[in-house]
Amino acid sequence: MSLFNKLFSYLHDSTEIDPNLLKFLPRSYKRVGHIAIINLDDQLLNYSSIIGESLLLFLSGSIRSVARFTKPIEGIKRKPTIELLAGDTTLDTVHVELKTKFLINPSKVMLSAGNHNERKRIIEFISKINKKK
């Protein structure tokens, strides 16, 4: 069962959210370390903490916080604007990609999926330098 379907069923049966609004629930999330970041439809903003707490139930384990993007990521620095909805309030997290650990705070910078190859190139370059030492 998909995350959306689990969330839909749980919220339909256990909360005061208007069932007609449940079709606007997020269908995916971006994972950055221990934080799941969602896009939340404006129609669900009054229920953001309920949705955040519910997502923590289904993503428990390595996900300890749920946040939402409050506006689109823009600019050359890719500085996001996020709001914590539920869970651990520590936004500094260790994001693992390409067997490399990045200490990152997703409220200050966001890794773009389109720059995956650039991060790979930098990691390989640093690995070569470290092997020469």
Side-chain angles (χ1 to χ4, degrees):
M1 183 183 286
S2 73
L3 178 63
F4 171 80
N5 289 336
K6 287 179 188 177
L7 192 58
F8 184 96
S9 295
Y10 178 77
L11 292 172
H12 186 272
D13 296 340
S14 64
T15 66
E16 72 280 356
I17 299 176
D18 178 349
N20 294 320
L21 294 177
L22 295 177
K23 63 185 174 190
F24 298 108
L25 288 169
R27 287 174 166 38
S28 63
Y29 63 95
K30 180 171 182 63
R31 181 184 177 157
V32 180
H34 73 270
I35 304 166
I37 307 173
I38 61 172
N39 287 310
L40 192 61
D41 191 280
D42 290 345
Q43 297 181 66
L44 293 171
L45 291 180
N46 290 336
Y47 308 104
S48 59
S49 61
I50 294 169
I51 293 168
E53 291 292 341
S54 301
L55 279 168
L56 274 180
L57 289 174
F58 298 115
L59 300 174
S60 64
S62 58
I63 297 293
R64 299 189 316 268
S65 303
V66 176
R68 75 175 184 94
F69 291 110
T70 58
K71 58 184 177 179
I73 298 172
E74 9 181 70
I76 201 161
K77 292 186 179 181
R78 308 283 304 147
K79 186 168 173 46
T81 306
I82 64 171
E83 171 189 21
L84 187 64
L85 303 180
D88 185 346
T89 59
T90 305
L91 292 178
D92 289 332
T93 187
V94 176
H95 176 74
V96 180
E97 184 176 339
L98 301 166
K99 300 179 185 178
T100 303
K101 295 178 181 179
F102 296 87
L103 179 59
I104 187 170
N105 182 325
S107 70
K108 295 179 180 175
V109 68
M110 183 60 66
L111 298 176
S112 170
N115 290 337
H116 177 80
N117 287 333
E118 181 64 11
R119 286 191 296 281
K120 182 178 178 182
R121 186 187 70 77
I122 291 169
I123 291 166
E124 289 169 352
F125 177 75
I126 292 171
S127 294
K128 286 178 186 177
I129 290 172
N130 286 336
K131 286 180 183 176
K132 291 179 181 180
K133 289 183 179 181

